[in-house]
Amino acid sequence: REEILKVHSKNTPLAKKIKLSYIARGTPGFTGADLENLVNEAALLAARKNRKVVEMEDFESAKDKILMGPERRSMIINDKEKEIIAFHESGHTLLGALLKHTDPIHKVTIIPRGMALGVTQSLPIDDKHNYIKEYWEDMLCMLLGGRVAEELRFKTISTGAKNDIEKATHIAQKMVREWGMSERMGTISVATEKEHVFLGREISQHRDYSEKTAVMIDEEVRKIVEVALSRAKKIIKQNIGLLNKLAKSLLEKEILSTEDINRIVKKKKKKVISKK
Amino acid sequence: REEILKVHSKNTPLAKKIKLSYIARGTPGFTGADLENLVNEAALLAARKNRKVVEMEDFESAKDKILMGPERRSMIINDKEKEIIAFHESGHTLLGALLKHTDPIHKVTIIPRGMALGVTQSLPIDDKHNYIKEYWEDMLCMLLGGRVAEELRFKTISTGAKNDIEKATHIAQKMVREWGMSERMGTISVATEKEHVFLGREISQHRDYSEKTAVMIDEEVRKIVEVALSRAKKIIKQNIGLLNKLAKSLLEKEILSTEDINRIVKKKKKKVISKK
Amino acid sequence: REEILKVHSKNTPLAKKIKLSYIARGTPGFTGADLENLVNEAALLAARKNRKVVEMEDFESAKDKILMGPERRSMIINDKEKEIIAFHESGHTLLGALLKHTDPIHKVTIIPRGMALGVTQSLPIDDKHNYIKEYWEDMLCMLLGGRVAEELRFKTISTGAKNDIEKATHIAQKMVREWGMSERMGTISVATEKEHVFLGREISQHRDYSEKTAVMIDEEVRKIVEVALSRAKKIIKQNIGLLNKLAKSLLEKEILSTEDINRIVKKKKKKVISKK
Amino acid sequence: REEILKVHSKNTPLAKKIKLSYIARGTPGFTGADLENLVNEAALLAARKNRKVVEMEDFESAKDKILMGPERRSMIINDKEKEIIAFHESGHTLLGALLKHTDPIHKVTIIPRGMALGVTQSLPIDDKHNYIKEYWEDMLCMLLGGRVAEELRFKTISTGAKNDIEKATHIAQKMVREWGMSERMGTISVATEKEHVFLGREISQHRDYSEKTAVMIDEEVRKIVEVALSRAKKIIKQNIGLLNKLAKSLLEKEILSTEDINRIVKKKKKKVISKK
Amino acid sequence: REEILKVHSKNTPLAKKIKLSYIARGTPGFTGADLENLVNEAALLAARKNRKVVEMEDFESAKDKILMGPERRSMIINDKEKEIIAFHESGHTLLGALLKHTDPIHKVTIIPRGMALGVTQSLPIDDKHNYIKEYWEDMLCMLLGGRVAEELRFKTISTGAKNDIEKATHIAQKMVREWGMSERMGTISVATEKEHVFLGREISQHRDYSEKTAVMIDEEVRKIVEVALSRAKKIIKQNIGLLNKLAKSLLEKEILSTEDINRIVKKKKKKVISKK
Amino acid sequence: REEILKVHSKNTPLAKKIKLSYIARGTPGFTGADLENLVNEAALLAARKNRKVVEMEDFESAKDKILMGPERRSMIINDKEKEIIAFHESGHTLLGALLKHTDPIHKVTIIPRGMALGVTQSLPIDDKHNYIKEYWEDMLCMLLGGRVAEELRFKTISTGAKNDIEKATHIAQKMVREWGMSERMGTISVATEKEHVFLGREISQHRDYSEKTAVMIDEEVRKIVEVALSRAKKIIKQNIGLLNKLAKSLLEKEILSTEDINRIVKKKKKKVISKK
């Protein structure tokens, strides 16, 4: 990545203290196009602030924009909703900070970005190519943490968790259907519908397995999601004080960095949380 | 929104007493295009009445047209049908006025507008982005209030509730399938058929879940709608006098404003109505 | 409608005794295009008879053509079939005359019109926009009256009821699926297949509900049709003399008007016929 | 029809003894295009035989070609197969001659015509528009008579009955699905798949009824066909001598006319054959 | 056929001893296009061998090419595989020679032809148009003889029987679905999916029968194939010596003619082999 | 193949010691296009190294590129992942070396190639056309060996086995559906969905068999895969020392040849491993 950054920033005046190797390390998973985009966005931001050279701060903003979508500060959100969003994001954040196999949280914000009202953004330390079962179990737990936090705080549930539920279901389905991660299903691949368009024509893929298998898939997916939900509830209840602190801090500052989060969660070492 | 209104009304002569900030507050959920449309319609209406400046009244009519469709005063409806429509709309209105989580009713009318024979129009106080479970439960109750009112008054049911039933079913399905609001289904997302057209070709989405899950969805949807229907029946029966007053008043005036409704329902504070 | 008739007949010389208001009242449900068509057809018929002005009689024929299709007097039908058709249409007519919620019968004929060998045509008194449950129950009864009459008279059934059965099934399905008129199904909307063509491409709508719901729909539809069939049998049996008189009269005159029918059925006031 | 024949034969020199009214009576069900075709074919056949006027015989051949397809005398069929075909066609013919509600048989042949190795052709006496249940029951019986005759004579079954089975299944399905002729199904219309092409695009019609209804349809169709098969077996067994005579005669002459058939079956009056 | 051969060979110099009538008799089932192809291929082969006239031998080779595809002598097949193929083809051949209703075997070869590694080619004595049930039962038995021979000799099964299994399943399905040859299914036609392309658009045919019927079809198809497989096993076991002789001879000569086969199977008259 | 190689290498200067016959023997299953590709790639590689003649080494690299995709040395993989990949590939390799019916392993590498993070490449000794049941059973076992090795070593499972599971499921399905290799299913062919595009239009193939058959297919597929998985576990556990040696060696050298593997597994003769 450092090489790619060098190529793309050849004609961009950078502040002297900027180390491309440091930026490269901070952008695992970025493709070549992402990196080119990153340099351009950073240059643009610097230009907008009438700077002659691109600062590290510009690269940080550019990276956030690529990862989380553009900020939409103009969107009006009333205080009640802001509070709900803060607890929702704090739920994700708390679990991301406590669970053993999740990627570290890069940033959490309640300023609307792209289509979302709030964003909790994780970043892996390294490039990863394979993911173990425990990674996905913790990921599911973190995804459902948003709704759990809302429910524990406000005693009701809202449509705000729609996308989290969709993602969680999708991951659980992959575990059962493609990755052989459900013992009951076995080491079997059961294709989901393909959204492939082939030669300008969609290939509509008909279900190729029995209703009995379909029932088993549904039951296994539901079980995996339910286990993740109970874990999320148990862990957040046990750390309800931290949740409140995170939400409060988020309502004040609107953005929390890894350092902010670690200060609140007291850099307590990640611990494995048993599934039972 | 106020900013957008300013831009679009730059070349429109407004009556002096008009405050754009007031109009902005009264149009939550309006997009930029809606607002431009609003200013144009208001100017047109003023022109039709040979006024030189646009009055508040013109903005009100323009807003109603955008929200509820154009009036169709020429449509002939006999007295019997008019009475049925009045009770139908009063059913919606009464529940909208009594339930805790519904948006306030902006206007109710038995003058045909757009495709509808009568309209009960709610407007949220603020822009909202997420909706809690209780909001939808009350919404379902209000939607079914039209048929309930007809049935209690005329001892029969009609095709007039077709659209209400369709909307209620649609909401209940979203609660069960997408928003994780059925405990029995769990926090699972079960995609409904997409009506997506992709690259000029529809993607026909085949059912991706088991018959057992389909049965559970249908049962949960039915249960949610049934609960809403019984609530609607119970509440209207307990307030049958108010229903009659609303219908009578509606038959006389043809349009009732928030104030008219509040006068009849006596501004009684909204109360939570238990689900059992 | 009277206004529309005035506009379209501006250039058509009408007989002096013709009252457009009378014609307007006799054409509930006619669209603007239908009314234009009506005036043109009447003018044509008058021209064919070398009249200089259009008579009421021409308007009557024009109206019948629009409602029931053109006459096909050239079609050869033997006496046996003619008798069957007469009893079939008399079955519809008798029930249309006796049932409480059906629209009055405008005309009944055994001269082939359009695609049909015989036609029983009802016309509502007023424009209607909503229809109550009892209307559809009586309509189903009347639709099945044709087959019932054939069966009672000739002790066999024929393919002649194909369209009636199709229409009856379609109405019963709407009652169960869209209008919330089956208690067992509940106030739920269960979309039937749409025959929609969208942007030049059909949207093939896959079944979105469970097999269990499909079974319930089928059972409710069947039950509704069965009840209507038994009512039709019971009522026709109790009035078998009237059926024979109607059929005899129809075989003689080939067309019966409302007055002819009322004379036979003795203007006996419509009565509610209990469903049990 | 006589009128149409007159128009089309205006420019065709006919033999003096030809009566168009007689031809008209012998072509029930012929459309205008069929009749034009008939006159042209007859003229062609006369020309091929170097006649100056068209004889009755030419009209007969032309009619057969239109009804049964062109003769294919060049097709080589060995004696064994010829005997099987003769018994197959005699099976149809015998039942056509004995059953009460079938149309009279016009001709039966074992000279290949069109796609068929043999043809048994019925013609109604009059134009018919509706068909009673007993007509279809006898038609099914006659259709299955071909296979029954083969089986009784040769103690085995062949692929020769493929089309008969297809037609019989199709009729039984219509009785159950569209014509309300199965008591268990009731007076219900259950659409079969439509092969409709709409606006240059097929409308693929998905099954709109429950599996439970599908089972009932299949069982009723099977039952109707089974009853017809047993009737066919019973009647042919009781008249096995006539079957043998018909087959023998057919092997000798290759074509039998109504008169030939009646001579063998001894003009015995059609009798009702009980279904039990 | 002789006529067609005459036409096509008008311009082809034939050896004097060639009798077209003999060739005609040896090509039952050949269409006009096949026969034209036959003459052309023969002329080409003669030309390639620098002959001035076409010999009988050229016609034989041309016929084999049309029936079995072109030889692919260049394909390398090791000795082990050659032995397996020899036993596979000998399995087909032995059953073809012993069963009563199969067509006589024209040739069997282990030289790859077209897509196949070996070919056993039958030819009917006469043109046939209908086929009796016993023909298909013996055909199924012969088709499965290849795998049975492999299994008996090598104690394992291979992918080499893939096409035989496909063909056998297809025939059994036709017996059950279209030809009324399963007593349990009855004389019913149950359409299989059509691969029809209509007006440049495929007609996708949805299943039109119940799951219960589908189960019955599958069970009947399976039963028919199982019976054929046991018969094949029983007959080959009883004639294991002949199988070994055929395979040995085939490995030596690579091609066996009808005469070669008859010499080994000792021209023993075909016998009926009971199905139990 | 040697012939084809001669043609394509006519204009390519080869090192003197190169024997095309040796290369031909080392490329079973290569098509003509593959061989042309091989010669071109080898010439290119030689050119890149500034050699005037193509060496055997160039042919080896070219062959690997065609078989396994191009190397992607630039891809960054951390040490933990590298270790997992090494054990995964060693699992495949160990089983490939121990099982009786698998093709010999040509090469195993943990340098990313094409889309894969590691590759274990087998090559048949000869061209093969048919494959026996035991070949597929051992192939399944080897395919699942990757995941088994990961699990035994790291006590967890990862997404790295996704493609292996897909391939294994696909093979097991072919055994059950097309090759008649499941006793319970019988010698029946049950078509899987075809991905055929016909005349520019996909033919969407609907399921043509009963749910009962679908259940049987799924159960048989699952059973076959489960048996293979247990075999893989049992064999690797019994040879855990060899697994560790292979993985260690692979981490050091990154590529192992047949000789390297044989040295570790001590050229122990392949043995049959019982299925129970």
Side-chain angles (χ1 to χ4, degrees), chain F residues 22-70:
Chain F
Y22 179 85
I23 297 174
R25 233 174 312 124
T27 52
F30 274 54
T31 64
D34 288 339
L35 294 170
E36 184 176 358
N37 200 355
L38 178 74
V39 175
N40 292 345
E41 285 285 349
L44 233 109
L45 288 167
R48 233 179 265 167
K49 293 182 191 159
N50 289 317
R51 290 203 198 108
K52 292 197 174 148
V53 293
V54 184
E55 299 281 351
M56 198 59 205
E57 175 191 339
D58 301 321
F59 274 104
E60 276 302 311
S61 301
K63 181 173 145 193
D64 288 356
K65 184 167 171 196
I66 288 164
L67 283 169
M68 310 190 287

Side-chain angles (χ1 to χ4, degrees), chain C residues 29-224:
Chain C
F30 274 53
T31 63
D34 287 340
L35 293 171
E36 185 176 358
N37 202 354
L38 178 73
V39 175
N40 293 345
E41 284 286 350
L44 233 108
L45 288 168
R48 232 179 265 165
K49 293 182 192 158
N50 289 317
R51 288 203 199 111
K52 291 198 174 148
V53 295
V54 183
E55 299 281 351
M56 200 58 206
E57 173 191 340
D58 301 319
F59 274 104
E60 274 303 311
S61 300
K63 181 172 146 194
D64 286 358
K65 185 166 171 197
I66 288 165
L67 283 170
M68 310 190 286
E71 278 193 3
R72 294 176 59 202
R73 287 195 179 265
S74 67
M75 198 168 165
I76 300 158
I77 293 171
N78 67 34
D79 287 352
K80 180 71 199 165
E81 287 209 329
K82 231 175 186 88
E83 200 189 342
I84 295 176
I85 295 163
F87 270 87
H88 185 105
E89 298 306 325
S90 297
H92 293 317
T93 302
L94 180 61
L95 287 168
L98 292 176
L99 290 167
K100 186 174 173 190
H101 297 91
T102 46
D103 295 319
I105 290 169
H106 169 62
K107 215 161 265 190
V108 52
T109 177
I110 55 171
I111 304 167
R113 295 194 81 116
M115 302 302 293
L117 300 174
V119 178
T120 303
Q121 181 66 40
S122 314
L123 259 193
I125 304 175
D126 275 321
D127 288 274
K128 268 187 198 172
H129 305 89
N130 288 333
Y131 296 89
I132 60 171
K133 197 180 173 190
E134 287 76 13
Y135 175 85
W136 295 116
E137 287 170 343
D138 284 0
M139 172 69 97
L140 287 176
C141 190
M142 182 178 160
L143 272 169
L144 298 172
R147 160 157 291 192
V148 167
E150 280 188 57
E151 199 175 0
L152 289 177
R153 176 67 185 77
F154 302 104
K155 310 299 172 211
T156 186
I157 54 183
S158 79
T159 53
K162 178 172 180 291
N163 284 333
D164 298 335
I165 296 172
E166 208 173 295
K167 274 186 214 160
T169 305
H170 194 63
I171 289 171
Q173 278 178 335
K174 290 230 168 220
M175 290 173 74
V176 173
R177 285 165 168 273
E178 296 182 30
W179 301 332
M181 291 183 180
S182 143
E183 247 177 73
R184 197 173 148 221
M185 271 298 290
T187 320
I188 288 284
S189 179
V190 187
T192 53
E193 170 179 13
K194 275 171 201 161
E195 292 155 24
H196 234 66
V197 175
F198 177 64
L199 285 176
R201 293 197 54 86
E202 88 277 20
I203 297 298
S204 93
Q205 178 126 18
H206 292 269
R207 196 211 267 188
D208 209 22
Y209 45 89
S210 67
E211 169 65 15
K212 199 178 150 191
T213 297
V215 168
M216 204 194 285
I217 293 170
D218 283 7
E219 288 176 355
E220 286 299 283
V221 166
R222 188 187 314 279
K223 210 180 71 187
I224 288 172

Side-chain angles (χ1 to χ4, degrees), chain A residues 1 126-134 136 174 177-190 194 198-199 201-214 216, chain F residues 75-78 81 84-85 117 144 147 155-160 162 165-166 169 173 177 192-193 195 197 200-202 204-207 209 211 214-215 218-219 221-222 225-226 229:
Chain A
R1 269 193 302 276
D126 275 322
D127 289 274
K128 268 186 197 174
H129 305 88
N130 288 332
Y131 298 87
I132 60 172
K133 197 181 173 189
E134 287 76 12
W136 295 116
K174 290 230 167 219
R177 285 165 169 271
E178 295 182 30
W179 301 332
M181 290 183 180
S182 144
E183 248 177 70
R184 196 174 149 221
M185 269 300 289
T187 321
I188 287 285
S189 178
V190 186
K194 275 172 202 159
F198 176 65
L199 286 175
R201 293 198 53 85
E202 87 278 21
I203 297 298
S204 94
Q205 178 123 19
H206 292 268
R207 196 211 266 187
D208 210 21
Y209 45 89
S210 67
E211 170 66 14
K212 198 179 152 189
T213 297
M216 205 195 284
Chain F
M75 196 169 166
I76 299 159
I77 293 172
N78 69 34
E81 286 210 330
I84 295 176
I85 297 162
L117 300 174
L144 298 173
R147 159 157 292 192
K155 310 301 172 209
T156 187
I157 55 183
S158 79
T159 54
K162 178 174 179 288
I165 295 172
E166 207 173 294
T169 305
Q173 279 178 334
R177 285 166 168 271
T192 54
E193 172 179 11
E195 292 156 24
V197 175
R201 293 198 53 86
E202 87 279 20
S204 93
Q205 177 126 19
H206 292 267
R207 197 211 265 187
Y209 45 89
E211 170 66 15
V215 168
D218 283 6
E219 287 175 355
V221 167
R222 189 187 313 278
V225 172
E226 263 168 30
L229 191 74

Side-chain angles (χ1 to χ4, degrees), chain F residues 18 29 67 71 83 98 123 140 151 178 180 184-185 187 205 211 234 249 258 274:
Chain F
I18 284 183
L67 283 169
E71 279 193 2
E83 200 189 344
L98 292 175
L123 260 193
L140 286 178
E151 197 175 359
E178 295 182 29
R184 196 173 148 222
M185 269 300 289
T187 320
Q205 177 126 19
E211 170 66 15
K234 192 174 152 199
S249 181
T258 319
S274 78

